[in-house]
Amino acid sequence: MHRADIAVVGSGFGGTLMAMVAQKEGHSVVLVEKGTHPRFAIGESSTPLANLLLQQIAERYDLPQLLPFRRWGEWQREHPEIGCGLKRGFSFFHHQLGRDFVDDPERAKQLLVAASPRDDVADTHWFRADFDQHLLRQAQRSGAAYFDKTELNDFREEGDEVVLTGEREGQKVEFRAGFVVDATGPRGCLFNLLGLAERELPLMPGTCGLFAHFRKVGGWPEREGAPYPVEDAAVHHVFDGGWVWVLKFNNGITSAGVAATRSASDELKLSDGKAGWDRLLEKLPSLAEQFRGAEVVGDFVYARELPFGTSDMVGNRWALLPSAAGFVDPLLSTGVPMMLLGVQRLAKLLGAWPSETAFAKYQRQTQLELDQVSRLVGALYASMDDFELFTALTQLYFAAVSFAETAHRLAKPELADSFLLCDHPDFGLATREICESVVRLSKRDDVLRKISETIEPFNVAGLADPAKRNWYPVDLDDLFAASPKLGATELEIREMLLREQLI
């Protein structure tokens, strides 16, 4: 029997960060894991907002060991042994099934959105086998008691404790804690032990996934004059019914996979694993050329049902981190920042539990943000055969996250206190209406006009400019010109950029 103030179930990056923060707040922690490390995982791509949230956690809770992971340059100097990928932005290429990828001088079939001006301050892809194991070791050093190979089979409350029982290597094990945080992912530990109800995510179609790690993946052709090398990014290959991601790490590994609607998945028979992947590449000849000669590392993973949400995320003495409360899609790399937001919010509540009001607010916020991501991604799936509309919809995401990141770096968090500005009375409501219009097949021109009107008051990155022809570099002149939108002076913007080493 093991007793602690807090039991964290799941030792991915969210669970280990939660354990470290709880330890710093003076709580004793047990960290319970069904499997072992190192292990394969997706959810590998960070973003500027995610890096800022990680930095905030490090600074607020005196965890300086986390700071090198906020930027490519620091990571390479401090931890070159941990697998990592360079992410300078988001790259999108639109394909027609059965045809080679082609573009035109207007770059109508591609979209490049830079996230950083140079490599040393760039975002990263996390090679999760290395990254998660490193964070686990840090959690153990901070004092968390770690138990792997542990299958939990019962949850019950006794007075002011939760009792978790299970088996570890053939022997019964029991954990008693004042509070339980579930970081096990979709349809995870507490979802099953408590018999929680699943809820449908708004506007999101049913989708399936197939993914693996590869070696010897070739290169995608570079574009002369592009705002960054196109593969130093989260690369998205979009087609009617789905999309393929390609993330390259510095250890020779490439993460790649496909997320597709059920009808597209059934047609390609993605459930066949490698054979399904090969059938997909036959439909995408330019991508097939890139993967000619590639070797699969381990096995393909087929996810029969990607979207997931629970109706309950908190209880008297338990809470789900966002990754356990819901999952939408890897598109737009929303999972990492949402997980970090969840860690921040729960960390502030642990000393006050059981506060029904505080935890109800946590559930409301998490559900609102998951639903907003679901609406936007659902609209993107509905427009994958119309790349102009797809590109316009992505600007809602890029406008919201760039505005939020800048506001927080300017110490103005009140301007953007929810993910994708979903709580904002103008932007949040307009985004919901736009996404619903796209799925309902409303007039296309009306939707495009509404998108342009919605992002304008929040556009601090020079987005949606036809003169840029779908290439958006980091241009600080755009940020200076947008300073009134942030209630800031140009001097405040310059001081922030100097402080963050962005100029």
Side-chain angles (χ1 to χ4, degrees):
M1 192 274 287
H2 308 276
R3 178 173 270 111
D5 297 330
I6 296 169
V8 178
V9 187
S11 63
F13 80 88
T16 51
L17 284 174
M18 193 77 245
M20 282 190 273
V21 168
Q23 286 283 142
K24 283 290 186 177
E25 288 291 272
H27 304 292
S28 59
V29 178
V30 290
L31 185 56
V32 185
E33 168 59 46
K34 181 178 180 178
T36 60
H37 287 274
R39 64 184 181 202
F40 174 88
I42 61 167
E44 301 154 314
S45 194
S46 76
T47 64
L49 182 58
N51 293 336
L52 174 59
L53 294 170
L54 186 63
Q55 177 180 325
Q56 289 174 343
I57 291 171
E59 293 173 347
R60 178 181 177 90
Y61 298 103
D62 189 24
L63 293 166
Q65 64 269 38
L66 299 177
L67 290 175
F69 301 111
R70 62 184 166 166
R71 291 172 176 163
W72 165 263
E74 292 177 77
W75 188 323
Q76 298 314 296
R77 289 191 295 272
E78 299 293 328
H79 292 289
E81 77 283 1
I82 298 176
C84 177
L86 174 61
K87 182 179 178 182
R88 288 285 305 277
F90 289 75
S91 301
F92 297 83
F93 301 97
H94 188 252
H95 298 250
Q96 287 187 290
L97 292 175
R99 300 184 183 181
D100 290 330
F101 173 79
V102 293
D103 205 359
D104 57 42
E106 295 303 309
R107 303 193 283 260
K109 299 298 182 182
Q110 61 176 290
L111 170 65
L112 305 180
V113 182
S116 60
R118 58 185 192 277
D119 288 359
D120 65 314
V121 295
D123 305 326
T124 51
H125 308 309
W126 301 349
F127 185 64
R128 292 283 301 277
D130 289 354
F131 186 66
D132 288 5
Q133 185 174 41
H134 176 80
L135 289 187
L136 170 61
R137 290 170 179 158
Q138 295 297 313
Q140 290 177 281
R141 290 191 184 109
S142 75
Y146 174 59
F147 300 86
D148 63 359
K149 305 176 186 176
T150 302
E151 181 82 39
L152 297 175
N153 52 39
D154 188 54
F155 173 109
R156 68 181 187 275
E157 293 186 33
E158 292 185 357
D160 60 356
E161 288 186 323
V162 171
V163 181
L164 296 168
T165 56
E167 287 192 0
R168 186 171 191 258
E169 298 184 311
Q171 295 188 345
K172 183 179 178 180
V173 63
E174 179 179 288
F175 303 94
R176 290 178 174 266
F179 197 81
V180 178
V181 177
D182 187 347
T184 55
R187 303 176 183 89
C189 180
L190 293 191
F191 176 78
N192 289 294
L193 292 185
L194 298 176
L196 301 180
E198 192 164 343
R199 69 182 184 93
E200 187 174 339
L201 295 175
L203 303 187
M204 187 64 197
T207 57
C208 311
L210 179 66
F211 43 88
H213 282 167
F214 299 80
R215 292 191 186 275
K216 300 181 180 178
V217 175
W220 187 256
E222 289 295 336
R223 267 58 187 169
E224 185 178 354
Y228 55 83
V230 295
E231 283 202 308
D232 290 345
V235 183
H236 307 68
H237 295 280
V238 180
F239 58 91
D240 186 10
W243 66 284
V244 174
W245 71 83
V246 180
L247 311 175
K248 290 195 169 183
F249 300 102
N250 61 359
N251 57 8
I253 299 289
T254 296
S255 174
V258 57
T261 61
R262 286 200 186 101
S263 59
S265 176
D266 290 345
E267 181 179 344
L268 294 164
K269 297 181 180 178
L270 294 181
S271 59
D272 290 346
K274 183 180 185 305
W277 177 257
D278 291 342
R279 276 191 290 271
L280 172 68
L281 292 185
E282 289 175 4
K283 298 279 191 179
L284 300 169
S286 296
L287 198 60
E289 183 62 31
Q290 183 177 8
F291 279 81
R292 193 180 309 280
E295 300 172 355
V296 179
V297 179
D299 297 321
F300 277 90
V301 177
Y302 173 69
R304 182 178 58 84
E305 195 170 1
L306 287 175
F308 163 76
T310 59
S311 56
D312 294 300
M313 303 174 190
V314 296
N316 185 41
R317 291 192 171 271
W318 59 270
L320 309 182
L321 279 174
S323 64
F327 180 80
V328 179
D329 198 86
L331 190 63
L332 300 178
S333 306
T334 57
V336 172
M338 287 198 65
M339 173 70 96
L340 295 172
L341 280 169
V343 170
Q344 282 189 342
R345 290 165 179 165
L346 276 185
K348 294 176 183 178
L349 301 181
L350 291 180
W353 45 263
S355 168
E356 292 185 12
T357 301
F359 283 115
K361 182 179 179 181
Y362 170 81
Q363 167 151 329
R364 173 190 171 277
Q365 192 70 41
T366 303
Q367 185 167 310
L368 276 174
E369 291 171 349
L370 277 168
D371 287 356
Q372 195 77 330
V373 172
S374 178
R375 290 185 183 93
L376 181 54
V377 173
L380 287 166
Y381 268 91
S383 60
M384 284 178 173
D385 62 339
D386 182 346
F387 196 62
E388 182 184 9
L389 179 57
F390 180 96
T391 296
L393 285 166
T394 66
Q395 307 298 285
L396 291 167
Y397 167 81
F398 291 117
V401 294
S402 58
F403 181 87
E405 181 205 356
T406 309
H408 279 262
R409 292 196 185 281
L410 288 167
K412 296 174 180 286
E414 69 281 359
L415 296 179
D417 59 359
S418 60
F419 189 54
L420 297 188
L421 305 178
C422 70
D423 268 350
H424 194 282
D426 297 326
F427 190 94
L429 177 60
T431 297
R432 290 190 284 275
E433 292 174 346
I434 288 166
C435 294
E436 289 165 2
S437 295
V438 169
V439 173
R440 290 198 311 265
L441 302 177
S442 298
K443 290 183 179 179
R444 184 175 178 276
D445 289 345
D446 291 345
V447 172
L448 292 172
R449 183 174 60 256
K450 179 73 170 178
I451 292 173
S452 179
E453 293 170 353
T454 299
I455 70 170
E456 196 282 328
F458 305 90
N459 184 3
V460 300
L463 300 166
D465 181 353
K468 295 183 178 180
R469 292 181 296 150
N470 285 347
W471 281 5
Y472 295 98
V474 173
D475 188 339
L476 297 182
D477 288 341
D478 291 326
L479 182 56
F480 284 119
S483 58
K485 299 177 183 179
L486 294 154
T489 65
E490 291 192 17
L491 178 59
E492 288 176 307
I493 297 288
R494 183 172 298 278
E495 289 174 345
M496 178 272 290
L497 293 171
L498 288 169
R499 185 172 61 250
E500 301 294 338
Q501 301 175 7
L502 296 175
I503 56 175

